[in-house]
Amino acid sequence: MEKIYIFGHKNPDADSVCGAITLSNLKNELGMNTEPRILSPINKETEYILNRFNIDTPKYLNDVRVQIKDVNYHKNFIIDENKTIFEAFQMMNVNAITGLPLVDNSGKFKGYVSLKEVASEMIYNENLHIDTIFENLTNILESDDYIKFDNHISGYAHAATFDDETFINDVKIDEKSIIIVGDRGSIIKHAIDSKVKLIIMVKGKKLTEELRKSAIANKVNVIMTNKSSFKIARVLCLTNPIKSIKRGIDTITFTIDDYLTDFKEETNKLKHTNYPILNSQGICLGMLRTIDAHEVFRKKVILVDHNMRAQSVDGLEEAEILEITDHHNIGDIITSSPINFRNMSVGAVNTIIYHLYKENNVKISKKMAALMLSGIISDTLLLQSPTTTEKDRLVASDLAKIAELDLNKYGLELLSSGVSIEGLTANEIVFKDFKIYKVGEYNMSIAQVFTTDFKLFEPRVDEIVEELNRVAKNRDYKSCVLFVTNFLTNNSYLLFSDNSKKILELAYGFEDVKEGDIVKGVVSRKKQMVPFIMGAIEHS
């Protein structure tokens, strides 16, 4: 069953991470194969939650772009470099392909041979140099009647087309010669006496008993076949290993982790047809034809706690979105087909997930209850945020009972766990909980951190503002604001980029807003920050 990734937004908060874990657990209970993921490092508050309840941190999901491994490439379309040219040709012919990657006995990529190069070998190989194993010869000559002394046969083939005297006198043969001959005793005797490497008897001809004994005594290999001299001459060079063919320029390869968009861009320049596909260890897994590059299996995803493209995983447009569970305003994500979209006006996404468990009659375990409760406490500031609804309060109360936790005591411990900024850089503070929003043609960002005392931030105001200015300039944001929220007093302090000054004055009615100014009662990004700043940008 194909895996489905469930994840929250970039710079994930506790509600987002806990929501991905609890929703993944629910989906798996319902028979799906899902895995929770995170898009960037978790914050201290989330780390506290996962450690307290002994939950593994979800793995990172860097992006969901289509990779070569998601394409229906021709797996196992490879051939051992020691296999014969004939076997390679047969494989190309049966599978209607124009080339094959060559591998060694460990599967490592060794090169590529095309049908054109095979045809060239068959047409233009005039000297009939043979360098192969005995078994290859008996297989292609369809012989089970032979005298064998050597596993490896190497030499130049000569067909006995002259009369006996001319051949014996004028054709130089030695221990490296391969003789193709019919029922011509004197030539066969001459070849045996010269201790040639191999005699090939055509059209079912047999050695006399005397010649057989002589061949054995001189350790001369002999193969008897029903094929004609002409047919043997045509196929003999095909017994050589495919690696012996003279090949063109070095082949361009791709790995299974390469992106399909990069593959298409590169192959549009190269104009080749087939490309070997390797893994990270250089093992060749098969071949991708350019005409098959449209047959893709997009990664399947479920979004939690967000529905805006800018807040989601990179490459989302190349994935298949199956569901969205969120409690924010409707964003800009577009899907190619109808999906399940659960959106409720509540304070935390885990409140919605609680209802999904109930609706599907799935029992909530103590651990899952603790995670859901933690997400709700975090996103509603212990049910004190203006986004808090009666549903959040009822759900939190029920989850506290299941998890056997004192709601208020645990809630204060949880909120206090993430307030320290000791050891954090200005960049880490700004991006601790950082979200991007689109307003018409502009982008803006609103970050939020929590504290029990703004005095902890005062010595670092200048460097934080400098970082906000850097982010606004480098990313071309119309506004870049950090709200430092005191969850004990339910007030927030403003730190902002220079280009945000007039916007904040319009949004909150300041005459001359300064860094560190307080906005009383403002704690909810969703209800008290985003709409106010968006509105100010729209009217500025």
Side-chain angles (χ1 to χ4, degrees):
M1 188 184 299
E2 190 175 356
K3 183 165 289 184
I4 300 165
Y5 298 112
I6 301 181
F7 51 85
H9 48 75
K10 290 179 179 176
N11 304 301
D13 56 19
D15 191 37
S16 178
V17 177
C18 292
I21 297 171
T22 55
L23 185 59
S24 177
N25 178 75
L26 171 62
K27 295 299 182 182
N28 292 342
E29 288 287 335
L30 296 174
M32 297 173 72
N33 179 24
T34 73
E35 184 178 320
R37 291 294 186 100
I38 53 175
L39 306 185
S40 54
I42 60 175
N43 59 30
K44 289 184 178 180
E45 186 178 83
T46 308
E47 186 178 358
Y48 170 84
I49 296 166
L50 299 183
N51 287 340
R52 172 152 182 169
F53 300 107
N54 196 26
I55 303 290
D56 291 335
T57 302
K59 296 177 182 176
Y60 288 108
L61 183 64
N62 293 323
D63 62 68
V64 289
R65 292 170 61 190
V66 175
Q67 296 169 284
I68 299 295
K69 62 186 174 187
D70 304 316
V71 180
N72 190 25
Y73 68 89
H74 293 274
K75 297 177 176 65
N76 297 319
F77 270 34
I78 55 177
I79 191 165
D80 189 302
E81 63 179 348
N82 295 304
K83 293 288 187 180
T84 64
I85 298 171
F86 182 73
E87 289 171 292
F89 174 75
Q90 279 190 315
M91 188 172 181
M92 292 183 205
N93 188 44
V94 168
N95 294 289
I97 54 178
T98 58
L100 277 173
L102 309 184
V103 299
D104 62 17
N105 56 13
S106 66
K108 288 214 169 185
F109 177 72
K110 301 300 290 185
Y112 175 87
V113 66
S114 68
L115 183 59
K116 181 180 177 181
E117 290 163 340
V118 172
S120 178
E121 181 77 8
M122 295 169 68
I123 295 170
Y124 298 113
N125 185 350
E126 297 178 351
N127 58 21
L128 282 182
H129 178 255
I130 306 304
D131 188 6
T132 189
I133 60 173
F134 193 88
E135 185 182 2
N136 288 342
L137 289 160
T138 55
N139 286 342
I140 287 182
L141 298 178
E142 298 174 357
S143 171
D144 56 7
D145 187 4
Y146 50 81
I147 300 170
K148 176 185 175 184
F149 292 99
D150 300 307
N151 286 321
H152 187 260
I153 303 295
S154 179
Y156 288 89
H158 304 274
T161 55
F162 302 114
D163 62 70
D164 293 12
E165 185 178 351
T166 300
F167 186 89
I168 292 170
N169 293 329
D170 295 346
V171 178
K172 184 180 178 181
I173 60 175
D174 55 25
E175 293 89 344
K176 293 183 178 180
S177 298
I178 297 168
I179 307 302
I180 304 170
V181 65
D183 188 13
R184 300 174 69 177
S186 60
I187 291 180
I188 296 171
K189 182 178 184 307
H190 172 61
I192 293 172
D193 291 342
S194 299
K195 297 184 178 181
V196 297
K197 177 59 69 174
L198 172 67
I199 297 172
I200 300 174
M201 303 282 293
V202 306
K203 288 189 174 179
K205 302 302 181 183
K206 306 291 184 182
L207 289 173
T208 65
E209 186 61 29
E210 182 182 351
L211 288 174
R212 176 179 284 274
K213 288 179 179 178
S214 180
I216 293 171
N218 286 280
K219 295 186 177 181
V220 174
N221 301 284
V222 182
I223 295 176
M224 284 148 277
T225 175
N226 289 320
K227 294 185 182 296
S228 68
S229 297
F230 176 76
K231 188 71 176 284
I232 293 169
R234 290 295 300 272
V235 302
L236 199 57
C237 68
L238 303 185
T239 64
N240 286 334
I242 188 66
K243 68 181 179 183
S244 68
I245 284 186
K246 183 179 180 181
R247 302 193 294 275
I249 59 174
D250 291 340
T251 306
I252 303 299
T253 65
F254 292 88
T255 73
I256 56 171
D257 294 321
D258 285 334
Y259 295 115
L260 183 60
T261 51
D262 295 339
F263 171 84
K264 288 181 177 179
E265 182 179 342
E266 188 70 17
T267 56
N268 282 339
K269 300 174 188 173
L270 298 169
K271 304 298 182 184
H272 298 165
T273 303
N274 305 321
Y275 296 88
I277 304 302
L278 318 181
N279 66 12
S280 58
Q281 286 77 46
I283 302 297
C284 187
L285 305 176
M287 183 176 68
L288 176 57
R289 303 187 301 177
T290 52
I291 60 173
D292 297 325
H294 65 283
E295 298 180 31
V296 303
F297 302 98
R298 300 184 183 277
K299 294 181 176 68
K300 291 178 168 55
V301 300
I302 294 175
L303 276 54
V304 172
D305 201 31
H306 72 291
N307 70 99
M308 294 187 70
R309 189 176 302 278
Q311 295 177 6
S312 199
V313 68
D314 292 341
L316 184 64
E317 67 280 358
E318 296 184 28
E320 181 182 352
I321 302 173
L322 301 181
E323 297 180 23
I324 299 176
T325 300
D326 192 20
H327 68 120
H328 296 94
N329 59 298
I330 305 300
D332 60 355
I333 287 177
I334 298 172
T335 61
S336 58
S337 58
I339 66 168
N340 291 323
F341 192 144
R342 185 64 173 266
N343 188 276
M344 291 174 62
S345 180
V346 291
V349 76
N350 274 282
T351 298
I352 305 173
I353 295 171
Y354 168 90
H355 285 290
L356 292 175
Y357 271 82
K358 293 296 184 180
E359 290 165 12
N360 287 280
N361 295 314
V362 174
K363 184 179 179 181
I364 301 173
S365 69
K366 187 175 178 180
K367 269 191 178 182
M368 290 301 107
L371 290 183
M372 280 187 258
L373 178 63
S374 299
I376 294 170
I377 290 171
S378 175
D379 241 30
T380 64
L381 295 179
L382 193 49
L383 307 174
Q384 297 304 307
S385 168
T387 60
T388 308
T389 67
E390 191 58 30
K391 287 187 178 70
D392 297 304
R393 293 186 178 92
L394 292 172
V395 169
S397 177
D398 190 38
L399 289 171
K401 291 176 185 175
I402 298 171
E404 298 178 5
L405 292 168
D406 183 299
L407 178 58
N408 290 317
K409 181 182 177 184
Y410 171 64
L412 287 172
E413 291 173 357
L414 170 58
L415 295 177
S416 298
S417 68
V419 300
S420 174
I421 60 170
E422 185 178 352
L424 297 181
T425 65
N427 177 272
E428 289 170 333
I429 293 170
V430 169
F431 284 92
K432 199 173 182 185
D433 187 359
F434 182 95
K435 290 187 179 180
I436 306 164
Y437 302 90
K438 192 167 185 64
V439 191
E441 61 184 85
Y442 302 112
N443 285 322
M444 70 172 199
S445 68
I446 297 178
Q448 185 177 25
V449 293
F450 294 96
T451 187
T452 55
D453 192 344
F454 185 68
K455 289 181 179 179
L456 299 173
F457 286 78
E458 287 177 347
R460 306 192 62 181
V461 166
D462 289 345
E463 62 175 305
I464 293 172
V465 171
E466 183 181 347
E467 179 65 16
L468 291 167
N469 278 320
R470 187 191 66 79
V471 172
K473 181 180 178 181
N474 290 349
R475 300 192 178 193
D476 194 27
Y477 287 163
K478 184 73 172 177
S479 172
C480 193
V481 183
L482 171 65
F483 286 80
V484 181
T485 301
N486 187 323
F487 62 83
L488 298 179
T489 63
N490 286 343
N491 297 322
S492 290
Y493 299 83
L494 296 172
L495 297 176
F496 51 89
S497 58
D498 294 344
N499 63 349
S500 303
K501 179 176 171 61
K502 290 183 179 180
I503 293 169
L504 290 174
E505 288 171 351
L506 182 59
Y508 294 105
F510 286 97
E511 288 188 6
D512 182 21
V513 67
K514 293 181 176 58
E515 302 291 352
D517 277 355
I518 190 170
V519 277
K520 292 185 177 181
V522 174
V523 295
S524 169
R525 177 161 39 193
K526 182 169 62 176
K527 286 193 173 183
Q528 297 171 306
M529 300 173 192
V530 174
F532 280 71
I533 296 176
M534 275 189 171
I537 292 175
E538 289 171 349
H539 292 93
S540 61

